[in-house]
Amino acid sequence: MGMVKGRAVSAPRASVWLTDAAARTRTRRSEQPSGLDRERITAATVRLLDREGLARFSMRRLAGELKVTAMSVYWYVDTKEDLLELALDAVVGELTVGPEGLEGDWRQRLRELARAYRAMMVRHPWVAPLMGSYLNIGPCSQAFSRRMRAVLHDSGLGAKEQLGALSAVFRFVYGFGAIEGNVIRRCRAAGHTQDEYYREAMGSMARRPEFVESFGDTEELFGPEGMGGGVAEMRERDFAFALDLLVTGIEAMARETAAT
Amino acid sequence: MGMVKGRAVSAPRASVWLTDAAARTRTRRSEQPSGLDRERITAATVRLLDREGLARFSMRRLAGELKVTAMSVYWYVDTKEDLLELALDAVVGELTVGPEGLEGDWRQRLRELARAYRAMMVRHPWVAPLMGSYLNIGPCSQAFSRRMRAVLHDSGLGAKEQLGALSAVFRFVYGFGAIEGNVIRRCRAAGHTQDEYYREAMGSMARRPEFVESFGDTEELFGPEGMGGGVAEMRERDFAFALDLLVTGIEAMARETAAT
DNA sequence: ACCTGAACACCGTTCAAGT
DNA sequence: ACCTGAACACCGTTCAAGT
């Protein structure tokens, strides 16, 4: 318990998922007048975040969406942060592609999981900043992590290396999804397509001598050839390449493990 | 130009760095009464962000730090967003380790650049969320990117692959720095060390049956053996492993390039 | 047990006015 | 050219009160 400017501040919990069971049972136990419960609130949160983005999300707006007073929500959820953590785990729940992922070549399974993760981050551009802000230990996050560990178990890496690779894969995919989700968010805010946005930025840069000096001939890198079929495809190629890099790296490290 | 709830909203610029020269020249042109200019404002912003974090940063607090009215800052900077973008490029400027990085084995140079980048993100835990939010085309960001491209030029990859690898390396290091900077930020907010924080989270999880089921024996993964000398060292190992994975992957892909 | 209204201590930014 | 004060339209959250 600390004091900030005379206001009592209790140390924040690490995560909603670590609150005691009693607090978590604030789910519907009878027919509420408003029909509210945690699930419904979380769903509305996801809907609102998808529609208007993280910056415009507020407890008051959420309450409006639920046709209820802002303060009603606080009966089910302690803070805005907790609510966002719930929303985060909810969309990670979309990644349950089914248990068929448990067989087949580990390379292909890793590619599939990575692609699904990235696709989710692109579908929900507000996920990236949140993912970086929480512990990600909700039930759905854990289920996904378990699947990824199963894949790496089959890679031929040693037990210690599997943990290292798990962390590498996650941060790697996160890095991609975060940047990408962000550009999407910005474009949406500006009301442009990604290609327009990119062209505008490139145009502004080309008109500035420092930038040309720095990038050399920008046409070479970002012109029709370099860009191929637009920004989306360029990023697709980048991601595919990065995935190759990852798989190739794991294979090579696994050979080292096997050799010793 | 759009309308949101009757309020006129002009499409946001892509970046401070893409504003016209006239606007950027709002630097000191004479001795100001308050001694304000962009540089001083940016420096104060970095100081404040380091000390209190992104969440507590506000234009009003910054103004207080500068002993000036909140609105004075707006003479030099259009929006809070612009200011944060300036602060971001300023700390990337810390990465100028000198031109000696231009020779030597590309593997070692890549490792050095990656390590420096990560260290910077750990020094300034507010960088990660911002880095994901802007285009990162300030002069210092570009200088760093140029150095990284020089390194990859020497890796033996083809020209196209070099671009892919550049993106991979950046997103990769970003992923690491973001997660790590975040935990640091949370710990600081809670007034705990990272080890305390980690132990607490682990303790809470161990007391919950679902978690044990999910992670198996948590002691095995996170106990004294798995953790080694604390969280910091565990992350150090993870990062080192990931760096190996990256270098090994690039080497293998370069061999493929050479073979065809 | 659940929901509301009023209030507190904040925000970023605009705008008219001062020097 | 630079800086200020007052004001607008918001925030998250607390707290006492209602049903």
Side-chain angles (χ1 to χ4, degrees):
Chain A
M1 184 88 91
M3 289 293 261
V4 175
K5 278 200 177 177
R7 198 168 84 258
V9 176
S10 65
R13 264 177 300 97
S15 162
V16 221
W17 306 110
L18 298 178
T19 53
D20 50 309
R24 269 175 298 121
T25 323
R26 283 201 181 159
T27 176
R28 179 164 41 186
R29 59 179 86 226
S30 66
E31 288 313 317
Q32 252 64 285
S34 63
L36 242 50
D37 60 36
R38 269 204 175 188
E39 227 170 302
R40 220 176 290 253
I41 290 174
T42 305
T45 301
V46 170
R47 221 162 45 230
L48 214 55
L49 286 167
D50 281 342
R51 198 199 305 151
E52 312 198 346
L54 184 59
R56 302 189 73 79
F57 178 82
S58 82
M59 296 303 266
R60 285 168 153 105
R61 288 166 87 89
L62 171 67
E65 176 88 0
L66 290 165
K67 287 170 196 345
V68 107
T69 304
M71 293 312 102
S72 304
V73 180
Y74 280 95
W75 181 258
Y76 300 92
V77 142
D78 278 352
T79 62
K80 186 189 178 190
E81 282 219 312
D82 278 9
L83 181 53
L84 292 175
E85 218 180 340
L86 291 172
L88 185 56
D89 200 63
V91 294
V92 174
E94 297 171 5
L95 294 179
T96 326
V97 205
E100 8 71 21
L102 285 173
E103 47 210 30
D105 184 46
W106 67 267
R107 282 158 269 250
Q108 203 195 316
R109 284 155 59 204
L110 188 144
R111 284 195 159 90
E112 267 166 29
L113 288 182
R115 265 195 267 269
Y117 207 82
R118 167 170 171 260
M120 183 271 287
M121 290 181 82
V122 168
R123 260 198 313 278
H124 308 293
W126 47 272
V127 158
L130 295 184
M131 191 113 68
S133 299
Y134 300 117
L135 283 177
N136 305 313
I137 54 172
C140 297
S141 293
Q142 285 187 53
F144 188 80
S145 167
R146 212 159 43 225
R147 296 183 62 166
M148 193 65 97
R149 268 180 289 135
V151 167
L152 291 169
H153 179 78
D154 297 351
S155 67
L157 286 175
K160 275 249 159 70
E161 281 81 10
Q162 284 175 40
L163 269 188
L166 179 72
S167 136
V169 171
F170 264 117
R171 281 152 210 228
F172 185 82
V173 179
Y174 166 76
F176 262 87
I179 306 283
E180 194 165 359
N182 222 309
V183 173
I184 289 169
R185 190 169 51 68
R186 285 186 82 89
C187 289
R188 209 175 278 173
H192 288 135
T193 70
Q194 288 190 63
D195 289 327
E196 286 167 353
Y197 180 78
Y198 207 79
R199 231 194 320 277
E200 199 228 319
M202 279 306 143
S204 308
M205 284 174 69
R207 265 177 268 117
R208 304 267 302 282
E210 326 86 274
F211 286 86
V212 177
E213 183 253 329
S214 160
F215 275 99
D217 186 2
T218 50
E219 273 304 310
E220 186 196 332
L221 283 180
F222 305 105
E225 297 145 88
M227 289 266 305
V231 201
E233 269 178 54
M234 182 184 71
R235 253 203 299 276
E236 209 66 48
R237 277 208 306 271
D238 278 0
F239 185 71
F241 178 85
L243 220 42
D244 284 346
L245 203 60
L246 205 59
V247 170
T248 308
I250 293 177
E251 277 176 331
M253 306 269 297
R255 268 197 301 278
E256 278 182 39
T257 303
T260 56
Chain B
M1 185 89 91
M3 290 291 262
V4 175
K5 278 203 175 173
R7 198 168 85 260
V9 177
S10 64
R13 263 176 302 96
S15 162
V16 220
W17 305 110
L18 298 178
T19 52
D20 50 308
R24 269 175 299 120
T25 323
R26 283 203 180 161
T27 175
R28 176 163 45 183
R29 63 178 82 225
S30 65
E31 288 314 318
Q32 253 63 286
S34 62
L36 241 51
D37 60 36
R38 269 204 174 187
E39 228 169 301
R40 220 175 291 253
I41 290 174
T42 306
T45 302
V46 170
R47 220 162 45 230
L48 213 56
L49 286 167
D50 281 342
R51 198 199 306 151
E52 311 198 346
L54 185 58
R56 301 189 74 79
F57 178 82
S58 83
M59 295 303 266
R60 284 168 153 104
R61 288 166 87 89
L62 172 66
E65 176 88 359
L66 291 165
K67 286 168 194 349
V68 108
T69 304
M71 293 310 103
S72 303
V73 180
Y74 280 96
W75 180 260
Y76 300 91
V77 143
D78 279 352
T79 63
K80 186 188 178 190
E81 282 219 313
D82 277 10
L83 182 53
L84 292 176
E85 218 181 339
L86 291 172
L88 184 55
D89 200 63
V91 294
V92 175
E94 297 171 5
L95 295 178
T96 326
V97 204
E100 10 69 21
L102 285 172
E103 45 210 32
D105 184 47
W106 68 267
R107 282 158 270 249
Q108 202 195 318
R109 284 154 58 204
L110 189 145
R111 285 194 158 91
E112 267 166 29
L113 287 182
R115 264 196 267 269
Y117 206 82
R118 168 171 171 259
M120 183 270 288
M121 290 182 81
V122 168
R123 260 199 312 278
H124 308 291
W126 47 272
V127 158
L130 295 185
M131 191 113 68
S133 299
Y134 300 116
L135 283 177
N136 304 313
I137 53 171
C140 297
S141 294
Q142 285 186 51
F144 189 79
S145 167
R146 213 159 42 224
R147 296 181 62 165
M148 193 66 98
R149 267 180 289 135
V151 167
L152 291 169
H153 178 80
D154 297 351
S155 67
L157 286 174
K160 275 246 160 69
E161 282 82 10
Q162 285 175 38
L163 269 187
L166 180 72
S167 138
V169 170
F170 264 117
R171 280 150 211 230
F172 185 82
V173 178
Y174 166 76
F176 261 86
I179 306 282
E180 195 165 358
N182 222 310
V183 174
I184 289 169
R185 190 168 51 68
R186 285 186 82 89
C187 289
R188 209 173 279 175
H192 288 134
T193 70
Q194 288 189 62
D195 289 326
E196 286 167 356
Y197 180 79
Y198 206 79
R199 231 193 320 276
E200 198 228 319
M202 280 305 144
S204 308
M205 285 174 67
R207 265 177 267 115
R208 304 268 301 283
E210 327 86 274
F211 286 86
V212 177
E213 183 253 329
S214 159
F215 276 98
D217 186 0
T218 50
E219 273 304 310
E220 186 195 333
L221 283 180
F222 306 103
E225 296 145 272
M227 289 267 304
V231 201
E233 268 178 55
M234 182 185 71
R235 254 203 298 277
E236 209 64 50
R237 278 209 306 271
D238 277 2
F239 185 71
F241 178 84
L243 221 41
D244 284 346
L245 203 60
L246 205 59
V247 169
T248 309
I250 292 176
E251 277 176 331
M253 305 271 293
R255 269 197 300 278
E256 278 182 39
T257 303
T260 56

